[in-house]
Amino acid sequence: MSELIQNVIDSDEKQDLRQFASELRISEKRYLLRNDILQAFADYCLKFQKSDHFVHSSNLSKLIYYTQEIILENESICLIVRPQIATQERFRLRPDLSVDVMSVQELLDLRDHFVDHHHPHEGNIFAIDFGPFYDYSPQLRDSKNIGKGVRYLNRYLSSKLFQDSNQWLESLYQFLSLHSYNGLQLMINDRITNQNQLSHAIKKAISLLNKRSPKEPYENFRFELQEIGFEPGWGNTARRALETLEMLDELLDSPDHQVLEAFLARIPMIFRIVLVSIHGWFGQEGVLGRPDTGGQVVYILDQARSLEMELEEELKLSGLSVLGVQPKVMILTRLIPHSDGTRCHQRLEKVYGTKNAWILRVPFREFNPNVTQNWISRFEIWPYLETFSIDAETEILAEFQGRPDLIVGNYSDGNLVAFLLSKRLNVIQCNVAHALEKSKYVFSDLYWQNMEDKYHFSLQFTADLIAMNAANFIISSTYQEIIGTTDSVGQYESYKSYTMPGLYHVVNGIELFSPKFNVVPPGVNETIFFPYTRTEERISSDRQRLENLIFHLDDPSQVFGKLADPTKPPLFSVARLDRIKNITGLVECYGQHPELQEKANLIFIAGKLRVEDSSDYEEAEEIQKMYHLIEHYNLYDKVRWIGVRLSKTDTGEMYRVIADHHGVFVQPALFEAFGLTILEAMISGLPTFATQFGGPLEIIKDKINGFYINPTNYDETAAKLDEFLLRCQYNIGFWNEISQRGMDRVYSSYTWKIHTSRLLTLTRVYGFWKYISKEKRADMMRYLEALFYLIYKPRSQELLQQHLQR
């Protein structure tokens, strides 16, 4: 039994536990989440005049702190306790304070009964359990290592090389002999036929290269190395080739995890990459600010550019660029025939600033042209993904003249397509969630049937389960994206166990201790987003034009609100206009606090200005709410709402203009998986206030290079902003200090070069792991196919039938 509960029962506080349970029964709620529980305990302590020590340090307070959920039954109380991250315990507390440990299945049954106690499900329900399929792979032991999977996997592989040298060295030899590019054999040729010959050949090649000048180009000794058995790919100079061969020699003699990673990182095995992003308006112009289009588009375009640059550099160092080997990056998305003035109807579009990176758009099959020729919400896209993947496969093979070497999925739909493509093409699959909707919508699993018409979570959550378990590796932007914090559940962790009543139970949806998880945060496009102080790189005409738009332009088609005093420092925000991004919450916070209105204006770029111009119901609701708030708090001359789509270049200058006026950036999202706009604002020089719910906790160090806010607590948020503004009034050096620290933070940890270098290294390491353990994934893949064809596909066909009637 949990030590947390036992400590309460073994102490004098057991009467408080019984009394607290009685108080819970008086309330109307029968299912309490963590915030409800904390509030109920606070109310209890206030009602019974408990001491500060009891409130903060008693055994009962500790139990309450770690309790995530409480379900009130007829007589008993069920507690779901999370004593540490990635760990969950379940208990049934009876009236006599006896405690029973509950199984996952018992908890899921209880949740089902809670939802529909009048018509409980009869018989067994389908249970999904991925636990047994992770027996083939090594497992991390300590939760603090979650997100560092490749480091653990390297140690595991190098230890295997040491323990069972013959088998593993043979695998390494076979792996090296696989690599080629368009018929050009790489690394080793048929003069080396086994691992023993490989060892002798390495020493002979090292002796040869030691006699060469370190800077001598590969072409000068290429044929001598071929005679020994080594093909192109070892290095572009004698020094580089010698270093690579010495790594392999050391690896064969005394395996080490650091040497293994460094060696695998040098193998030229990645030339063609597919980045999959299906939903939304994916383009380079005229798309930002539209429904389903935001940070993900920026992320992928920047990633594509950086991947091409990194691959070019790697191919140059490996000696392959002189042989005409060139990388190619393809962004796979959907073609939208009715493209509303964008280029989303074009099949192929080159990515700006690249040599060989492209956007490849493939149309959905026209089951109903009234639907498929137009934009389709990310919540409605599911019926078209299987046939899209089939059509996309043909297009990809034609464009590459062969198979890709890596497929990266983005978001739930892109990850599912990545699964379908990688399964058929036998290619390494990487997943990037960006955001998992399950964490954003409270009780979205338990009450899925009530939300199905609007959100179709049964399809999305099933797609997530399939894709995340199929992936060879997963990259997240933050550690807490995987397993949360001490007091909040991570996005991936939320898939560990849950129920969708009447559909299925998830007993074990994802193995959090699998080494497939790696934290690889994105970077910032430094050519567009750079400090406001670099005036020589700024274009004065752009600066003046945006100054006018932000502070002065009187055009109701572009802006709403006219500032009475434009000289006040601006509170600035930019985001989609939806509930989660919470721009309306920021306006309400500002409206409720006159002291903020006295010190600063509120300026934000968010969505459209007219309800009739929006095709997204959530955006339309937020537009109506925005006008109501501005009227209610009489903010017409203090708020500036900009409803235009800015180019990336203009967005970068927008941040800098706000910094010129010593403004601050506020990111008020109710939840933010990462927060690319935070990096953009910080690198531009804006002191940043960002939500404490999600990824910003790992970007910002509170009160050092930025500030955390609780966007649900308006008084607290306003007080922090007011304190900062007041301090800056008396000491402008404080603004400069926070500004500089924010810039330093981004440059040290969040560049695209760091990101893409790590991504390519991960691909090579997991590619090696995939090769040596391939026979052990077959059972997992069969299980995933069963989920796809028996659960996902029938439900997607039901949604398709609805679309056919439109």
Side-chain angles (χ1 to χ4, degrees), residues 15-28:
Q15 295 305 322
D16 285 293
L17 176 59
R18 180 181 281 114
Q19 195 169 32
F20 178 62
S22 299
E23 289 295 313
L24 289 178
R25 293 197 173 280
I26 297 174
S27 68
E28 296 180 359

Side-chain angles (χ1 to χ4, degrees), residues 582 585-597 633 689 692 708-724:
N582 194 40
L586 176 60
V587 173
E588 186 159 15
C589 173
Y590 180 78
Q592 289 181 6
H593 293 86
E595 69 277 11
L596 270 186
Q597 299 167 34
Y633 293 108
F689 291 72
Q692 67 186 36
Y708 301 147
I709 59 171
N710 179 349
T712 65
N713 188 327
Y714 295 161
D715 290 341
E716 180 185 296
T717 296
K720 288 186 176 182
L721 287 165
D722 186 64
E723 180 184 358
F724 178 82

Side-chain angles (χ1 to χ4, degrees), residues 301 304-306 308 312 350-358:
L301 286 170
R305 294 186 187 94
S306 186
E308 184 193 55
E312 283 182 337
K350 193 173 185 181
V351 176
Y352 300 155
T354 68
K355 298 175 184 176
N356 206 12
W358 302 83

Side-chain angles (χ1 to χ4, degrees), residues 74-90:
N74 291 331
E75 295 181 352
S76 304
I77 294 179
C78 174
L79 294 91
I80 296 89
V81 181
R82 189 171 173 265
Q84 57 188 18
I85 54 179
T87 302
Q88 186 186 90
E89 299 172 350
R90 301 151 300 276

Side-chain angles (χ1 to χ4, degrees), residues 179-228:
H179 301 297
S180 64
Y181 175 83
N182 287 354
L184 174 67
Q185 180 62 36
L186 305 177
M187 304 308 289
I188 61 177
N189 58 38
D190 56 11
R191 289 185 174 87
I192 300 173
T193 60
N194 57 56
Q195 59 178 16
N196 291 326
Q197 287 186 8
L198 175 62
S199 182
H200 291 303
I202 290 170
K203 298 187 185 306
K204 190 173 180 180
I206 287 174
S207 177
L208 168 70
L209 292 172
N210 271 320
K211 298 173 184 176
R212 300 277 180 167
S213 168
K215 295 183 179 180
E216 188 168 353
Y218 172 71
E219 304 92 273
N220 290 4
F221 51 85
R222 174 183 177 182
F223 297 109
E224 292 179 75
L225 282 182
Q226 282 182 322
E227 285 294 322
I228 299 172

Side-chain angles (χ1 to χ4, degrees), residues 720-739:
K720 288 186 176 182
L721 287 165
D722 186 64
E723 180 184 358
F724 178 82
L725 293 168
L726 185 62
R727 188 167 176 181
C728 290
Q729 284 181 356
Y730 294 100
N731 178 17
I732 192 59
F734 181 62
W735 188 96
N736 292 327
E737 185 180 327
I738 299 297
S739 170

Side-chain angles (χ1 to χ4, degrees), residues 281-404:
W281 303 85
F282 198 105
Q284 300 180 85
E285 294 176 355
V287 297
L288 295 184
R290 292 176 181 267
D292 286 350
T293 305
Q296 185 173 317
V297 172
V298 175
Y299 176 108
I300 295 168
L301 286 170
D302 288 344
Q303 186 186 57
R305 294 186 187 94
S306 186
L307 279 170
E308 184 193 55
M309 292 174 59
E310 192 68 24
L311 285 172
E312 283 182 337
E313 178 66 18
E314 289 184 353
L315 291 175
K316 177 183 176 182
L317 291 173
S318 66
L320 296 181
S321 59
V322 295
L323 301 178
V325 178
Q326 292 295 322
K328 188 169 186 176
V329 179
M330 195 73 66
I331 299 170
L332 175 65
T333 189
R334 67 165 296 218
L335 185 148
I336 307 175
H338 295 165
S339 58
D340 195 22
T342 72
R343 293 180 182 169
C344 294
H345 64 292
Q346 294 183 7
R347 176 183 175 273
L348 207 58
E349 181 184 355
K350 193 173 185 181
V351 176
Y352 300 155
T354 68
K355 298 175 184 176
N356 206 12
W358 302 83
I359 302 171
L360 172 64
R361 298 187 181 94
V362 177
F364 286 165
R365 293 186 188 177
E366 292 192 348
F367 296 97
N368 179 357
N370 292 330
V371 176
T372 54
Q373 290 196 1
N374 299 298
W375 167 82
I376 302 173
S377 162
R378 70 187 187 274
F379 297 119
E380 298 274 337
I381 203 167
W382 310 106
Y384 310 101
L385 298 183
E386 183 182 17
T387 51
F388 175 88
S389 71
I390 294 169
D391 297 338
E393 179 183 355
T394 303
E395 299 279 355
I396 289 167
L397 292 175
E399 288 296 325
F400 281 141
Q401 294 295 298
R403 294 186 309 160

Side-chain angles (χ1 to χ4, degrees), residues 99 165 262 303 359 390 399 402 433 446 448 468 486 544 611 657 712:
V99 178
S165 58
Q303 186 186 57
I359 302 171
I390 294 169
E399 288 296 325
L446 202 58
W448 69 275
M468 66 177 62
T486 54
Q544 292 168 6
V611 172
V657 169
T712 65

